[in-house]
Amino acid sequence: MSENKVAIGFGIASKNNNGDWLEAYYPFPMLNPTDALLADLRAVTLSAEGQNATVELFSQDLNDLIDRLDKHPETKSWLYQGMEWMSSVQPIVLVISELQKPPETVPEIYLHLHLLSHRLVKPHSISLEGIFGKLPNVAWTNLGPIDLSELKGRVAEARGQGKFIAVKSVDKFPQMTDYVVPAGVRIGDASRIRLGAYLGEGTTVMHEGFVNFNAGTLGTGMIEGRISAGVVVGKGTDIGGGASTMGTLSGGNSVIISLGENCLVGANAGVGIPLGDRCTVEAGLYVTGGSKVSVLDDQGKEVKKVKAGELAGMNDLLFRRNSISGAIECLTNKKAIALNEELHSNN
Amino acid sequence: MSENKVAIGFGIASKNNNGDWLEAYYPFPMLNPTDALLADLRAVTLSAEGQNATVELFSQDLNDLIDRLDKHPETKSWLYQGMEWMSSVQPIVLVISELQKPPETVPEIYLHLHLLSHRLVKPHSISLEGIFGKLPNVAWTNLGPIDLSELKGRVAEARGQGKFIAVKSVDKFPQMTDYVVPAGVRIGDASRIRLGAYLGEGTTVMHEGFVNFNAGTLGTGMIEGRISAGVVVGKGTDIGGGASTMGTLSGGNSVIISLGENCLVGANAGVGIPLGDRCTVEAGLYVTGGSKVSVLDDQGKEVKKVKAGELAGMNDLLFRRNSISGAIECLTNKKAIALNEELHSNN
Amino acid sequence: MSENKVAIGFGIASKNNNGDWLEAYYPFPMLNPTDALLADLRAVTLSAEGQNATVELFSQDLNDLIDRLDKHPETKSWLYQGMEWMSSVQPIVLVISELQKPPETVPEIYLHLHLLSHRLVKPHSISLEGIFGKLPNVAWTNLGPIDLSELKGRVAEARGQGKFIAVKSVDKFPQMTDYVVPAGVRIGDASRIRLGAYLGEGTTVMHEGFVNFNAGTLGTGMIEGRISAGVVVGKGTDIGGGASTMGTLSGGNSVIISLGENCLVGANAGVGIPLGDRCTVEAGLYVTGGSKVSVLDDQGKEVKKVKAGELAGMNDLLFRRNSISGAIECLTNKKAIALNEELHSNN
């Protein structure tokens, strides 16, 4: 993770009537800028090496920054892609962020979330410490973000004019697609993917799918279930309709769930333990860490009974509930001896 | 409930081309106005004591009403919060509603629903009798409510102009947040909360959560599952992702479900009986009233087998499916004798 | 199916900056036009009998077409319903489609999807072969469809102007209600119904419901669960909250699922086999084709154990998981002998 050192964001933000940041949008977030570029930006933000900076730019400074960006080949194009930076009616913000430090300002937190959804950094590779307490709760409307204390006045005013303000969510996190649409994805209902989600190329999130921040898919996958905060899913893994991955925020245990590659979690199933590669959980079955499971070898004979948590991270497992006996079984393609050894090595 | 007597609403409404009410928005719904204020409003609406009134106000009457509201300290502020009542392009409506009588007009029904979502009244405390038959089915669009018979013409016209009318729902109930955002809540996907929901302060409804009208949470809670019409959830209770509470409208039985305080319903679980306080339902387990359950005492010994419905409303129960035997078990922290007595007292 | 021969669509479309079709909207799609009308349209499109045609119309041709439509009583009204065809800022498109041939162009595919959602044709009655590969992936925004390669520039430009482009989905299929709202339906969350869904009159799709294209309900029904691509549900059948019908696209088997009339699939349940009429699946139970099921006769005695797939399409079955033994049971109102015969006739 040492390579994820510094990022810069030059973007358009919004503030409430008190001048507090509500959010920030970065069309071109950049990871690990060159030393020359970084030095130029530090000159504008007046920040020392190793320091984080969040600076709102007004006419003089903005002009200065634009001149500098124009000299670097990797940022020159930022100035000519539809954005009229100088004439923006919204605040312009420049952020420099050391990524292993907890982000402090709202624009800096938004930069971290952008980096994830732009696939510039992987989940769990940069600091998101304390962001929940620092992000404001915002009304996300068809007119953009509105401070909650200002909402009612705006709504009443609009109504009297025959207009309509629709509030689509009231949340600390916006939906990802209003900021970033990564290449090679399909998303049935974009209200269910928070900014900060990481969707690998080739991912389809169907309408029943959900992806929280600092979570997502590393490659292709058909996601029709819920990827909770922190959960990472390997490539080729499908999550069936309504299936659940247990998070650590509420009700879940403290183990961070991950799923390996080429797994299949059936519709309405649930996973409360990390899975290795090529695992299957039968439709409708919820496997929690504490479930006692009858482990069967490649001949279908029971090797032993274990708590599902002891099978965490193992490959080539199939979980099902025996529809005659009602017992949760775990089938494997391993022989009894090899399986026994693997189970003991996990103890 | 005797205290929930009368409410007044002064708001902005919309009508279809036939002059029928589509909906009404009240920025300041008021419960139990003073006698003096009520007398003033009755004078404007020409309604007698104990009568309901729904009156559209035009220039003369509206002027009169505004003069009267200006004299009462509790309504004076209504006139100076962004609303230009006199210049509204939408119909202005005044409603007086006796809350224990079935509301008759669309603006009156909307006032009842506002009262719930503003937390001025609790679910089941005012009459909602017959509202389903009286509310029109409306297309809720990015341009506001549109009568269904007028929709197609509006859509085609807009398309030809290069504009886009998006229809987000076709329903008798609008989404709550387009009318009310109560303090201290977060809502991941606001399309899943109907006007008339009651969300206690400190409630988070995640993207998979749902709350119907005349239902909700009395205090803090993390709601990631579905709160069906009529279901009330005590404070501190969490409902896991995709979890179901059985409603009485379709498929459910006639028992109104409620959940006590500090309960946890696991992800993809379901509750078909009322729960007391501090109850847990394991992830993935659906407990219906007719499920036969093996009740275990604090030593884990079976006391008896009962239908889950007999456990309705009891505290400190944990429901799980034994993952070896497949049986639904109910654990408790009570001794066998105390438990037996409690079960019999419920018979 | 022989009656579903030809359809025509006269509509408003959109293109990206390269001139590629993004989508098309038809206010009045028509099935099986008269020979006279068809001949007139073939004259405008210069297409021979049996040929498909997708033609963009400019001033001269559009005038010609309008003159012809004005002469036919069944199309005259198309010209006077709010649409100012001649002054449209969007491309005007005319499509003639032989419905049993795979549709080739984007406007033609959209015509097929319109026919389904307008209830002019039933699911599985017209060709949708290969449409997935031919439809572009589009950003569906509050400003309408935007090509994915053009999205970022548009978003950044809007932000600088203090405006907000919200992307509600990124998908090959738009949501149905932005194109068609059939009569007699209610839809809680319209983002969950794709264009090409068929919703029978009297269908309510609640917020947790979902309906894919080429799928739907033939009559009344309360749909609170997911109707996967290709799945058709008979009238009077209710699908409970979060319930799943197994699709054939991912993870499902190759059997196309259908549900008969007056069935009830409980909340959080799942169906992996076709059901006949008057069947019930208990809340929380997922019945897959491979589940071994204990079949009980009208006396509650086990007749035999079968795979659920062998019960496909039979009437009057009730599936439940015995909450004491954990076994999946199938109850029926048939006597042991009749049941045995029926089971064998299915082998």
Side-chain angles (χ1 to χ4, degrees):
Chain A
M1 292 183 208
S2 57
E3 76 271 29
N4 291 338
K5 272 194 170 158
V6 187
I8 56 174
F10 177 47
I12 307 157
S14 46
K15 291 182 165 183
N16 67 10
N17 289 340
N18 286 335
D20 304 318
W21 298 111
L22 289 181
E23 52 84 53
Y25 164 73
Y26 304 100
F28 319 101
M30 180 179 276
L31 184 67
N32 295 334
T34 62
D35 289 347
L37 175 57
L38 193 56
D40 258 5
L41 301 185
R42 290 219 178 271
V44 174
T45 59
L46 305 175
S47 63
E49 199 178 329
Q51 274 190 331
N52 289 341
T54 297
V55 177
E56 185 176 354
L57 294 169
F58 298 97
S59 49
Q60 194 67 5
D61 288 339
L62 183 55
N63 251 328
D64 178 23
L65 176 64
I66 285 175
D67 285 348
R68 292 171 190 260
L69 294 175
D70 201 29
K71 281 185 219 136
H72 295 274
E74 71 270 31
T75 58
K76 199 179 174 65
S77 65
W78 295 4
L79 306 174
Y80 306 97
Q81 296 205 12
M83 274 301 307
E84 298 293 335
W85 295 95
M86 290 305 299
S87 63
S88 171
V89 301
Q90 293 293 110
I92 299 291
V93 69
L94 176 63
V95 170
I96 301 173
S97 178
E98 303 278 333
L99 296 172
Q100 302 309 323
K101 290 185 186 172
E104 293 293 329
T105 67
V106 171
E108 194 185 356
I109 295 168
Y110 269 74
L111 177 58
H112 283 222
L113 299 175
H114 273 71
L115 294 169
L116 284 157
S117 292
H118 272 274
R119 299 185 194 134
L120 291 169
V121 303
K122 293 258 168 68
H124 304 294
S125 74
I126 62 174
S127 176
L128 296 172
E129 198 185 319
I131 66 172
F132 220 86
K134 290 166 193 159
L135 286 174
N137 197 20
V138 171
W140 301 96
T141 80
N142 53 331
L143 301 185
I146 297 183
D147 185 272
L148 283 170
S149 69
E150 298 164 18
L151 178 66
K152 191 172 176 173
R154 293 279 297 275
V155 168
E157 190 182 359
R159 290 264 182 173
Q161 297 167 356
K163 292 174 194 159
F164 192 68
I165 294 185
V167 178
K168 65 179 177 177
S169 72
V170 179
D171 200 0
K172 288 167 174 270
F173 296 83
Q175 68 180 58
M176 182 186 77
T177 57
D178 293 350
Y179 293 77
V180 188
V181 177
V185 303
R186 286 187 293 122
I187 297 169
D189 180 356
S191 62
R192 293 170 67 91
I193 303 186
R194 277 175 157 174
L195 182 63
Y198 182 107
L199 296 192
E201 180 143 11
T203 296
T204 295
V205 184
M206 283 291 283
H207 306 66
E208 182 66 20
F210 165 78
V211 189
N212 215 322
F213 70 96
N214 205 25
T217 59
L218 299 180
T220 57
M222 174 64 73
I223 308 302
E224 310 194 42
R226 302 183 301 276
I227 299 183
S228 301
V231 174
V232 176
V233 174
K235 75 165 194 279
T237 286
D238 292 343
I239 299 185
S244 160
T245 56
M246 199 172 271
T248 55
L249 296 181
S250 106
N253 50 25
S254 59
V255 179
I256 293 178
I257 305 296
S258 64
L259 279 70
E261 302 187 352
N262 299 309
C263 292
L264 174 61
V265 181
N268 288 5
V271 177
I273 59 168
L275 296 182
D277 298 332
R278 298 172 300 281
C279 291
T280 300
V281 179
E282 181 194 50
L285 173 64
Y286 209 114
V287 180
T288 56
S291 307
K292 275 192 201 116
V293 172
S294 168
V295 181
L296 310 182
D297 65 19
D298 62 346
Q299 305 298 311
K301 285 174 97 172
E302 180 175 298
V303 175
K304 64 189 295 192
K305 286 189 169 66
V306 300
K307 289 200 168 189
E310 295 180 42
L311 302 171
M314 288 174 61
N315 299 327
D316 299 299
L317 302 183
L318 184 155
F319 293 89
R320 70 176 184 200
R321 187 184 300 278
N322 186 306
S323 62
I324 299 299
S325 75
I328 301 182
E329 296 172 344
C330 175
L331 283 71
T332 175
N333 53 13
K334 296 206 176 84
K335 291 195 180 155
I337 293 171
L339 190 57
N340 245 319
E341 279 171 5
E342 191 162 353
L343 288 172
H344 288 298
S345 76
N346 268 15
N347 285 350
Chain B
M1 296 183 205
S2 57
E3 75 270 29
N4 291 337
K5 273 192 170 159
V6 187
I8 55 174
F10 177 45
I12 307 157
S14 46
K15 290 182 165 184
N16 68 10
N17 289 340
N18 285 335
D20 304 317
W21 298 111
L22 290 181
E23 52 84 52
Y25 164 72
Y26 304 101
F28 318 101
M30 181 179 276
L31 184 67
N32 295 335
T34 63
D35 289 346
L37 174 57
L38 192 56
D40 258 4
L41 300 185
R42 291 218 178 271
V44 174
T45 59
L46 305 176
S47 62
E49 199 178 330
Q51 273 189 330
N52 289 341
T54 297
V55 177
E56 184 176 356
L57 294 169
F58 298 98
S59 49
Q60 195 68 5
D61 288 339
L62 182 55
N63 251 327
D64 178 24
L65 175 65
I66 285 175
D67 285 346
R68 291 171 191 261
L69 294 175
D70 201 29
K71 282 184 218 134
H72 295 273
E74 70 271 32
T75 57
K76 199 178 174 66
S77 66
W78 296 3
L79 306 175
Y80 306 98
Q81 297 205 12
M83 273 302 305
E84 298 293 334
W85 294 96
M86 290 305 300
S87 63
S88 171
V89 301
Q90 293 291 110
I92 299 291
V93 70
L94 177 62
V95 170
I96 302 174
S97 178
E98 303 278 333
L99 296 172
Q100 302 308 323
K101 290 186 187 173
E104 292 294 329
T105 68
V106 171
E108 195 185 354
I109 295 168
Y110 269 74
L111 177 57
H112 283 221
L113 298 175
H114 274 71
L115 293 169
L116 284 157
S117 292
H118 272 275
R119 298 184 193 135
L120 291 169
V121 303
K122 292 258 167 67
H124 304 294
S125 73
I126 61 174
S127 176
L128 296 173
E129 198 183 320
I131 67 172
F132 221 85
K134 291 167 193 159
L135 286 173
N137 197 19
V138 171
W140 301 96
T141 80
N142 53 331
L143 301 185
I146 297 182
D147 185 90
L148 283 170
S149 69
E150 299 164 17
L151 179 65
K152 190 173 176 172
R154 293 278 298 274
V155 168
E157 190 182 359
R159 290 263 183 173
Q161 297 167 356
K163 291 174 194 161
F164 191 69
I165 294 184
V167 177
K168 65 180 178 177
S169 72
V170 179
D171 199 0
K172 288 166 174 271
F173 296 83
Q175 69 179 57
M176 182 187 77
T177 57
D178 293 351
Y179 293 78
V180 188
V181 177
V185 303
R186 285 188 293 124
I187 297 169
D189 180 356
S191 62
R192 294 169 67 92
I193 303 186
R194 277 174 157 176
L195 182 63
Y198 182 106
L199 297 192
E201 181 144 11
T203 295
T204 294
V205 184
M206 282 292 283
H207 305 66
E208 182 66 21
F210 165 77
V211 189
N212 214 322
F213 70 96
N214 205 26
T217 59
L218 298 180
T220 57
M222 174 64 73
I223 308 302
E224 310 194 42
R226 302 183 301 277
I227 299 184
S228 301
V231 174
V232 176
V233 174
K235 73 166 196 278
T237 286
D238 293 343
I239 299 185
S244 160
T245 56
M246 199 172 270
T248 56
L249 297 181
S250 108
N253 49 26
S254 60
V255 178
I256 294 178
I257 304 297
S258 64
L259 281 69
E261 302 187 350
N262 299 309
C263 293
L264 173 62
V265 180
N268 288 6
V271 177
I273 60 168
L275 297 181
D277 298 333
R278 298 173 301 280
C279 291
T280 300
V281 180
E282 181 194 49
L285 174 63
Y286 209 114
V287 180
T288 57
S291 308
K292 276 194 200 113
V293 172
S294 167
V295 181
L296 311 182
D297 66 19
D298 62 345
Q299 305 298 312
K301 284 174 100 172
E302 180 176 298
V303 174
K304 64 190 292 192
K305 286 189 170 66
V306 299
K307 289 200 169 189
E310 296 180 42
L311 303 171
M314 288 174 61
N315 299 326
D316 299 299
L317 302 182
L318 184 155
F319 293 89
R320 70 177 184 199
R321 187 183 300 277
N322 186 306
S323 62
I324 299 298
S325 75
I328 301 183
E329 296 172 343
C330 174
L331 284 71
T332 174
N333 54 13
K334 296 207 175 82
K335 293 197 178 152
I337 293 171
L339 190 57
N340 245 319
E341 281 171 4
E342 191 161 354
L343 288 172
H344 287 299
S345 75
N346 268 15
N347 284 351
Chain C
M1 292 183 207
S2 56
E3 76 271 29
N4 291 337
K5 272 194 171 158
V6 187
I8 56 173
F10 176 47
I12 306 157
S14 46
K15 290 182 165 183
N16 67 12
N17 289 341
N18 286 335
D20 305 317
W21 298 111
L22 290 181
E23 52 85 52
Y25 164 72
Y26 304 102
F28 318 102
M30 181 179 276
L31 184 67
N32 295 334
T34 64
D35 290 346
L37 175 57
L38 193 55
D40 258 4
L41 300 186
R42 291 219 178 271
V44 174
T45 59
L46 305 176
S47 62
E49 199 177 329
Q51 272 190 332
N52 289 341
T54 297
V55 177
E56 184 175 355
L57 295 169
F58 298 97
S59 51
Q60 195 67 5
D61 289 338
L62 182 54
N63 251 328
D64 178 22
L65 175 63
I66 284 175
D67 285 347
R68 291 171 190 261
L69 293 175
D70 200 30
K71 282 186 219 134
H72 295 274
E74 71 270 32
T75 57
K76 200 178 174 66
S77 65
W78 296 3
L79 306 175
Y80 307 97
Q81 296 205 12
M83 273 302 305
E84 298 294 333
W85 295 95
M86 290 305 299
S87 63
S88 171
V89 301
Q90 293 292 109
I92 299 290
V93 70
L94 177 63
V95 169
I96 301 173
S97 178
E98 303 278 332
L99 296 172
Q100 302 309 322
K101 290 186 187 173
E104 293 293 330
T105 68
V106 171
E108 195 186 355
I109 295 169
Y110 269 74
L111 177 57
H112 283 222
L113 299 175
H114 274 70
L115 293 169
L116 284 157
S117 292
H118 272 274
R119 297 185 195 135
L120 292 170
V121 303
K122 294 258 166 68
H124 304 294
S125 73
I126 61 173
S127 176
L128 296 173
E129 198 185 319
I131 67 172
F132 221 84
K134 290 166 192 160
L135 286 174
N137 197 20
V138 171
W140 301 97
T141 80
N142 54 331
L143 302 185
I146 298 182
D147 185 272
L148 283 170
S149 70
E150 299 164 18
L151 179 66
K152 191 173 177 173
R154 293 280 296 275
V155 167
E157 189 182 1
R159 290 263 182 174
Q161 296 167 357
K163 290 174 195 160
F164 191 69
I165 293 184
V167 177
K168 65 180 178 177
S169 72
V170 179
D171 199 0
K172 288 166 175 271
F173 296 83
Q175 68 179 58
M176 182 186 76
T177 57
D178 293 350
Y179 293 78
V180 188
V181 177
V185 303
R186 286 188 292 124
I187 298 170
D189 180 357
S191 62
R192 293 170 67 91
I193 302 185
R194 276 174 158 176
L195 183 62
Y198 182 107
L199 297 193
E201 181 143 11
T203 296
T204 294
V205 185
M206 283 291 284
H207 305 67
E208 182 66 20
F210 164 78
V211 189
N212 215 323
F213 69 96
N214 205 26
T217 58
L218 298 180
T220 57
M222 174 64 73
I223 308 301
E224 310 194 42
R226 303 183 300 276
I227 299 183
S228 301
V231 175
V232 176
V233 174
K235 74 166 195 278
T237 286
D238 292 343
I239 299 185
S244 160
T245 55
M246 199 172 271
T248 56
L249 296 180
S250 106
N253 50 24
S254 59
V255 179
I256 293 179
I257 303 298
S258 63
L259 280 69
E261 302 188 350
N262 300 309
C263 292
L264 174 62
V265 181
N268 287 6
V271 177
I273 60 167
L275 297 182
D277 298 332
R278 298 172 301 280
C279 291
T280 300
V281 180
E282 180 194 50
L285 174 63
Y286 209 115
V287 180
T288 57
S291 308
K292 276 193 201 114
V293 172
S294 168
V295 181
L296 310 183
D297 65 20
D298 63 345
Q299 304 299 313
K301 285 173 99 171
E302 180 175 299
V303 175
K304 65 189 293 191
K305 285 190 170 66
V306 300
K307 288 200 169 190
E310 295 180 42
L311 303 171
M314 287 174 62
N315 299 327
D316 300 298
L317 303 181
L318 183 155
F319 292 90
R320 71 177 183 199
R321 187 184 299 279
N322 186 307
S323 61
I324 299 299
S325 74
I328 300 182
E329 295 172 343
C330 175
L331 283 72
T332 174
N333 52 13
K334 296 206 176 83
K335 292 196 177 153
I337 294 171
L339 191 57
N340 244 319
E341 280 171 7
E342 192 162 355
L343 287 171
H344 287 299
S345 76
N346 268 13
N347 285 351

